């Protein structure tokens, strides 16, 4: 097979435009003027596209008076708040760069990520105002806080509500013009924090061009097929690229976001039923809840037309049970990462193989390489997944050229750090993270493979596998398990379960440990570094 034949390719890319992402959003708010943009799942309060247009344009004028310029940084540090997108859109309208931050970061983490983008303005909520107010005076540049809630904890912090009152209502919202940002391929629109699975988070800079391509492609019939009547449930944290991407797709179509601020399984189930959700973007941990939580059987999920989950290998039993409960033909499986503008490809809609990535994004190329020699590999050979496409690959890690050059090679291929392979027919399977493989006596053991098996055990509610350091073997596979309620399973039963079905290098020689819950980050990824540290102490 020739080297060229080993490159997987999406269909041709067609978008050519130099408008800003802000102009795109502004036009969509005008186009869908009378429709409902967002509903608070807990209170039922809502904002129309008209409300969003008027509030964001007014806030744009307020930020303009504060001399916010193109490529100034504006951070949002808040839970899934009703004014979150108002703050984001107004900043983007000015050509500023939105740098959203996880609202549960500690003081040390907050200082680190603020040091990456150095924002001039930070939007806070009452939940985050106290900590941010403590951190800001310790930083060597001037920062202004603006409160998203109607009342601030500190009277010196202005609120959006009061600021909006200072702008007269004689603005012609349908003729309001935005600043020219220049080349949309070179101009950043957001700096999103990487998940930090290999250390402290880095700032992923994505361009206006990146998000324009995403917004106009991923909602089409070949991908998520988002229609104007779409109602998407959004419990994903708004500071994350996944949620930001869902917002862009729904805004493009003129659909409605039903926003959850305080996630719980029961609120998830109630919201799907009450608001007749049609599009359900989820993460692996929530897919497990849908499949295994007993309360899910008490709700009507028949409104759901599409369920979409980030790429993570899961047992067929879990996927089948989730499909059955949601009454959907398929659980669309997507592969992506923040550095690749959220999504690179997804499974087909037929439901005959939810694990394979078959629909690659237009204009994108994928290949598998030997991580040591960089040789391009052929079908059924496992290696590192590399992706190419200027409209999907990040501008780089912000102010971190070293990390950028380590990730994007001289030929423009982004090295994902994911282990993958493809079949003779071009189906792509992403199976693990290179840096998370357990090294046992020269073997490379996939923790995900063991997790997939353990999730099929009826007593296992959730699970994560990590390597326990060992002087002689290198690392020992170790399982951390959250048991189903009222389960009496013991560690030896779990060890024997794996022994009977997997080869010796995959046996749980590091033991089995029961936890109340598995540590996961806000997007459902297992926090393996935390578990490896725990394993080393056991």
């Amino acid at each position: 097979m020739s080297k060229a034949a080993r490159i997987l390719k999406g269909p041709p890319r067609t978008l050519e435009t130099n408008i800003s992402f802000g102009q795109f959003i502004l036009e969509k708010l005008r186009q869908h003027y009378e429709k409902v943009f967002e509903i608070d799942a807990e209170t039922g309060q809502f904002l129309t596209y008209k409300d969003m247009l008027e509030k964001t344009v007014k806030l744009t004028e307020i930020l303009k008076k504060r001399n916010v310029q193109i490529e100034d940084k504006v951070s949002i540090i808040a839970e899934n708040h009703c004014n979150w997108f108002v703050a984001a859109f107004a900043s983007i309208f000015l050509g500023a760069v939105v740098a959203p931050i996880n609202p549960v970061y500690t003081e040390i983490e907050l200082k680190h990520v603020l040091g990456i983008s150095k924002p001039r303005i930070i939007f806070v909520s009452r939940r985050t105002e106290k900590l941010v107010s403590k951190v800001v005076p310790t930083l060597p540049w001037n920062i202004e806080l603006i409160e998203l809630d109607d009342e601030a904890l500190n009277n010196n912090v202005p609120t959006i509500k009061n600021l909006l009152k200072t702008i007269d209502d004689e603005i012609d919202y349908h003729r309001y013009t935005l600043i020219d940002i220049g080349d949309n391929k070179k101009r950043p629109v957001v700096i999103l924090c990487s998940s930090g699975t290999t250390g402290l988070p880095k700032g992923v800079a994505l361009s206006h061009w990146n998000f324009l391509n995403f917004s106009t492609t991923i909602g089409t019939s070949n991908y998520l097929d988002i229609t104007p009547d779409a109602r998407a449930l959004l419990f994903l944290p708004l500071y994350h690229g996944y949620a930001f991407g869902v917002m862009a797709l729904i805004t493009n179509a003129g659909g409605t976001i039903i926003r959850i601020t305080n996630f719980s399984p029961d609120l998830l189930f109630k919201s799907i039923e009450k608001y007749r959700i049609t599009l359900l973007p989820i993460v692996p941990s929530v897919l497990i809840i849908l499949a295994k939580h007993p309360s899910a059987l008490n709700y009507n999920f028949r409104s759901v037309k599409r369920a979409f989950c980030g790429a993570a290998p899961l047992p067929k039993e879990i996927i089948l049970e989730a499909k059955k409960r949601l009454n959907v033909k398929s659980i669309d499986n997507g592969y992506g990462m923040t550095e690749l503008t959220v999504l690179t490809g997804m499974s087909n809609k037929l439901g005959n193989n939810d694990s394979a990535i078959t629909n690659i994004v237009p204009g994108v190329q994928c290949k598998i390489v030997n991580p040591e020699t960089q040789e391009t590999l052929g079908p059924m050979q496992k290696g590192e997944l590399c992706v190419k496409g200027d409209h999907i690959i990040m501008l780089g890690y912000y102010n971190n050229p070293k990390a950028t050059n380590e990730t994007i090679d001289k030929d423009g291929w982004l090295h994902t750090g994911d282990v993958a392979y493809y079949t003779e027919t071009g189906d792509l399977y992403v199976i693990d993270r290179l840096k998370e493989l357990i090294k046992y006596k020269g073997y490379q053991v996939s923790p995900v493979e063991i997790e997939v098996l353990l999730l099929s055990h009826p007593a296992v509610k959730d699970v994560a596998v990590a390597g326990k350091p060992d002087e002689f073997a290198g690392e020992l596979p170790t399982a951390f398990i959250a048991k189903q309620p009222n389960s009496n399973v013991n560690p030896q039963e779990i060890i024997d379960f794996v022994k009977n079905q997997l080869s010796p290098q995959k046996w749980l020689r590091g033991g089995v440990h029961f936890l109340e819950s598995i540590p996961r980050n806000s997007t459902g990824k297992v926090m393996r570094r935390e578990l490896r540290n725990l394993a080393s102490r056991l």
Side-chain angles (χ1 to χ4, degrees), residues 105-115 131 135 200:
Y105 271 166
T106 64
E107 186 175 339
I108 292 172
E109 291 168 325
L110 199 54
K111 284 182 179 180
H112 170 75
V113 294
L114 288 172
L131 178 60
V135 169
L200 287 169

Side-chain angles (χ1 to χ4, degrees), residues 393-530:
I393 290 178
M394 65 176 176
L395 292 170
Y397 293 116
Y398 193 73
N399 281 343
N400 195 339
K402 181 177 182 291
T404 302
N405 292 332
E406 288 171 352
T407 304
I408 304 172
D409 67 28
K410 59 182 177 58
D411 297 316
W413 290 97
L414 185 141
H415 293 247
T416 65
D418 287 319
V419 181
Y421 70 92
Y422 67 94
T423 65
E424 291 282 0
T425 57
D427 291 346
L428 179 66
Y429 292 85
V430 181
I431 55 176
D432 222 319
R433 288 287 295 168
L434 274 176
K435 292 183 179 179
E436 292 175 355
L437 294 175
I438 298 167
K439 311 298 194 306
Y440 171 76
K441 290 187 176 180
Y443 291 99
Q444 291 194 328
V445 176
S446 165
V448 172
E449 182 183 358
I450 304 172
E451 290 165 359
V452 166
L453 173 63
L454 289 172
L455 275 171
S456 69
H457 193 290
V460 174
K461 179 182 177 183
D462 198 4
V463 61
V465 173
K468 178 179 180 178
D470 182 81
E471 183 180 354
F472 301 103
E475 291 178 307
L476 303 175
T478 307
F480 297 88
I481 289 173
K483 294 189 287 187
Q484 290 283 18
N486 304 317
S487 169
N488 294 318
V489 70
N490 62 57
Q492 192 58 49
E493 288 177 61
I494 297 294
I495 289 169
D496 291 341
F497 179 73
V498 171
K499 258 189 180 182
N500 291 335
Q501 299 184 69
L502 295 179
S503 52
Q505 69 270 22
K506 301 169 188 175
W507 293 354
L508 297 173
R509 300 174 192 275
V512 172
H513 306 278
F514 295 116
L515 303 176
E516 286 295 317
S517 62
I518 301 302
R520 294 177 180 270
N521 68 14
S522 56
T523 56
K525 291 181 182 177
V526 173
M527 299 172 71
R528 291 193 205 278
R529 279 192 299 122
E530 188 174 315

